[in-house]
Amino acid sequence: MEGKKTKEPSKYSYMRINCNGELPFTFVNLDEFDKLDEYKQIRPLFSHYEEDGKMIYIGKTKYTRWCSNGKRYNVEMYFDEDGLSKKLLPNHRINAMINLGRFTSKKFDYLNEKTRNQQIKDCWGSNYMVGDVICKITTGKPIPDCSIFGDNPIKSIMERRFPNTRMKNKYGEFLAEVMIDEFYTEKYIKEMGGVGWERVKYNIGPKECDDEEYLELLKGWGIDWDDEE
């Protein structure tokens, strides 16, 4: 008796948002989709994959993103769960895309506090992802808009934005401003005896970085890592 068929022509597109290199993204599609072993198929699609190297344990999450039809959708994406311990490079492109996905219009002056994007920002600042991120898109549907941040994702993340009148009326001026600010986080502050807001730094990259391709990429974005503290 033949086993149950698990493979079928893939109905998904896989779009890798690159953490390094000149290309913002790469389509890394599968000819055939195995619904019982999707992770095994996806693992080699990460640029840091090595056949005899460290195992890649794949994590899966969703963030709200601006897409190619000018609307926002929750996009499913895969990442290396051990990226921080492996000291993978920050993915500034996906960070900028997730950051802008917090906002309900392209004026970027009003946001939805219920998105995962905002909830993570309030915990860690706009330090969302490290390493490559692979987006799973149903073929024929809008794809994530990699042009939303312009040609410099770090500049986009660092740009100061201000809440509009509607947002200030809803939350009050101070709360509206710290909610929008990319680096204000909610923390328990001992001196206050309660929760307050404090700023965190943005992770540009490892202090002892010797990846020449990445250093050149940073220079193209106006960051000279040798001058950074």
Side-chain angles (χ1 to χ4, degrees), residues 31 33 129 210 219:
D31 294 328
F33 176 70
M129 309 296 299
D210 57 1
K219 284 184 179 180

Side-chain angles (χ1 to χ4, degrees), residues 63-66 72 92-104 108 110-111 115 117-118 121 125-128 148-149 153-159 161 179-183 202:
Y63 281 104
T64 304
R65 311 259 289 283
W66 288 97
R72 294 158 67 239
H92 304 295
R93 290 162 172 145
I94 196 69
N95 286 348
M97 294 166 75
I98 294 172
N99 175 54
L100 295 179
R102 297 185 296 140
F103 296 90
T104 58
F108 306 122
Y110 189 90
L111 53 79
T115 62
N117 311 37
Q118 184 66 25
K121 194 286 295 186
S126 289
N127 295 295
Y128 294 103
I148 190 69
F149 55 77
I154 295 179
K155 181 180 178 181
S156 173
I157 292 168
M158 297 294 187
E159 181 178 343
R161 297 180 172 86
M179 286 174 66
I180 275 190
D181 191 289
E182 283 79 1
F183 305 110
Y202 181 61

Side-chain angles (χ1 to χ4, degrees), residues 179-191:
M179 286 174 66
I180 275 190
D181 191 289
E182 283 79 1
F183 305 110
Y184 267 106
T185 61
E186 279 190 293
K187 302 288 184 184
Y188 177 81
I189 301 175
K190 186 176 180 180
E191 292 75 14

Side-chain angles (χ1 to χ4, degrees), residues 108-208:
F108 306 122
D109 58 5
Y110 189 90
L111 53 79
N112 181 352
E113 79 278 12
K114 295 180 180 179
T115 62
R116 175 172 171 76
N117 311 37
Q118 184 66 25
Q119 292 165 1
I120 296 299
K121 194 286 295 186
D122 287 345
C123 289
W124 305 107
S126 289
N127 295 295
Y128 294 103
M129 309 296 299
V130 296
D132 294 334
V133 168
I134 296 175
C135 303
K136 181 180 180 180
I137 308 147
T138 302
T139 301
K141 297 293 184 180
I143 65 173
D145 183 1
C146 288
S147 69
I148 190 69
F149 55 77
D151 58 5
N152 188 332
I154 295 179
K155 181 180 178 181
S156 173
I157 292 168
M158 297 294 187
E159 181 178 343
R160 190 174 180 192
R161 297 180 172 86
F162 300 92
N164 62 17
T165 301
R166 177 186 167 207
M167 188 168 175
K168 287 190 283 189
N169 288 341
K170 181 175 181 179
Y171 297 103
E173 188 166 351
F174 172 76
L175 185 56
E177 288 184 359
V178 295
M179 286 174 66
I180 275 190
D181 191 289
E182 283 79 1
F183 305 110
Y184 267 106
T185 61
E186 279 190 293
K187 302 288 184 184
Y188 177 81
I189 301 175
K190 186 176 180 180
E191 292 75 14
M192 291 177 54
V195 174
W197 293 84
E198 65 179 21
R199 290 191 114 237
V200 296
K201 287 185 176 182
Y202 181 61
N203 178 22
I204 298 293
K207 291 182 179 179
E208 302 296 330

Side-chain angles (χ1 to χ4, degrees), residues 80-89 130:
D80 187 335
E81 282 195 331
D82 297 325
L84 286 174
S85 63
K86 291 178 181 176
K87 298 182 179 179
L88 298 183
L89 298 171
V130 296

